[in-house]
Amino acid sequence: MWLTNSSIGRKVVMSVTGVCLILFLTFRCAMNVVALFSGEAYNVICELLGSNWYAVAATCGLAALALIHFFFAFWLTMQNRKARGPERYHETARRSEVSWASQNMLVLGIIIVLGLILHLFNFWYNMMFAEIVGMEGLAHGPADGFAWIKETFSCWVYVVLYIIWLVALWFHLSHGFWSAMQTLGLNGKIWFKRWKVIGIIYTTVLIALFIIVVLAFAFKCAPSLCCGACS
């Protein structure tokens, strides 16, 4: 199958899954912004999603997309390193037009995966997973997403880790956005530069909103150096 047997096919798989993940991030961003204005409204959304069959199905589909994207990204990176051989460092040094993000996609990917694991532990584990298995003894209810946000970002350690994660995500998306458009053939002499500008603007606004939510709750919840619930 050409999607797996050729580098172009693998890039197409990465591009399609990447675009789907960006759309999900856009949804999550809009959802998080709601929490800035109304904790009650945010919890209504959390309860609407919860562990309902459609939310669980969507989560499984999202997990599959992420795993496929990460696997193909690693595969392509290893393939490119092998193709360049020992001369890859000299080649990278000569090609000054190549962005820093494109040269460090593997490192950025590792940071993003570690940040994702942390995020799943702080939220998915305490919310959807807890509701599915009927976990008891939690500090807050599985549908009380607003309380989980406040508790998580009352800790400066988490605040710093999330910001590092989001900055790495910005570098990854700022390159990945226009690269996906290029791979899917949605570019030309004129649109190539346009997609770069659109990608940078879009990802900057997206990540900036995520960071604003983190900082807003960090200062709102009187953060301390240790991780604990808001007083």
Side-chain angles (χ1 to χ4, degrees):
M1 188 176 181
W2 75 275
L3 287 176
T4 57
N5 293 334
S6 68
S7 60
I8 295 177
R10 290 190 282 270
K11 287 180 180 179
V12 169
V13 172
M14 268 195 65
S15 298
V16 172
T17 55
V19 169
C20 291
L21 292 172
I22 290 175
L23 291 175
F24 169 75
L25 286 174
T26 303
F27 165 75
R28 283 297 309 182
C29 182
M31 181 177 169
N32 287 1
V33 169
V34 171
L36 290 176
F37 300 96
S38 173
E40 194 173 316
Y42 182 78
N43 282 346
V44 168
I45 300 174
C46 291
E47 190 171 358
L48 179 64
L49 297 176
S51 60
N52 296 300
W53 68 268
Y54 48 83
V56 174
T59 300
C60 292
L62 180 66
L65 285 173
L67 289 173
I68 292 171
H69 186 79
F70 294 150
F71 174 76
F72 274 79
F74 183 79
W75 190 359
L76 280 169
T77 299
M78 294 300 101
Q79 181 186 42
N80 291 337
R81 283 173 175 262
K82 183 179 180 181
R84 289 196 298 264
E87 299 299 320
R88 65 180 180 269
Y89 300 108
H90 301 293
E91 182 180 345
T92 300
R94 291 196 301 267
R95 296 182 60 189
S96 58
E97 75 278 5
V98 178
S99 67
W100 181 88
S102 65
Q103 296 178 31
N104 296 275
M105 292 297 272
L106 181 61
V107 175
L108 292 172
I110 293 173
I111 296 174
I112 290 169
V113 170
L114 292 176
L116 180 60
I117 293 172
L118 175 66
H119 184 69
L120 290 174
F121 172 75
N122 284 331
F123 293 98
W124 180 81
Y125 174 77
N126 290 313
M127 297 177 70
M128 180 180 282
F129 179 79
E131 188 174 347
I132 291 174
V133 302
M135 192 181 301
E136 298 180 354
L138 296 173
H140 313 289
D144 195 355
F146 190 72
W148 287 112
I149 291 179
K150 290 196 297 181
E151 176 171 336
T152 299
F153 298 127
S154 67
C155 171
W156 270 112
V157 175
Y158 284 145
V159 171
V160 172
L161 290 176
Y162 267 83
I163 290 177
I164 293 173
W165 178 39
L166 290 168
V167 170
L169 194 57
W170 179 87
F171 277 109
H172 185 81
L173 294 179
S174 63
H175 168 77
F177 186 98
W178 65 262
S179 181
M181 298 301 107
Q182 184 181 38
T183 298
L184 296 175
L186 301 176
N187 70 308
K189 292 183 178 180
I190 297 177
W191 274 98
F192 179 73
K193 291 185 177 180
R194 289 180 180 177
W195 278 124
K196 280 193 171 184
V197 174
I198 292 172
I200 290 175
I201 293 174
Y202 188 87
T203 55
T204 299
V205 172
L206 186 69
I207 298 303
L209 288 173
F210 275 118
I211 292 177
I212 287 171
V213 172
V214 172
L215 294 178
F217 278 94
F219 289 104
K220 182 178 179 180
C221 293
S224 60
L225 290 177
C226 61
C227 298
C230 300
S231 56

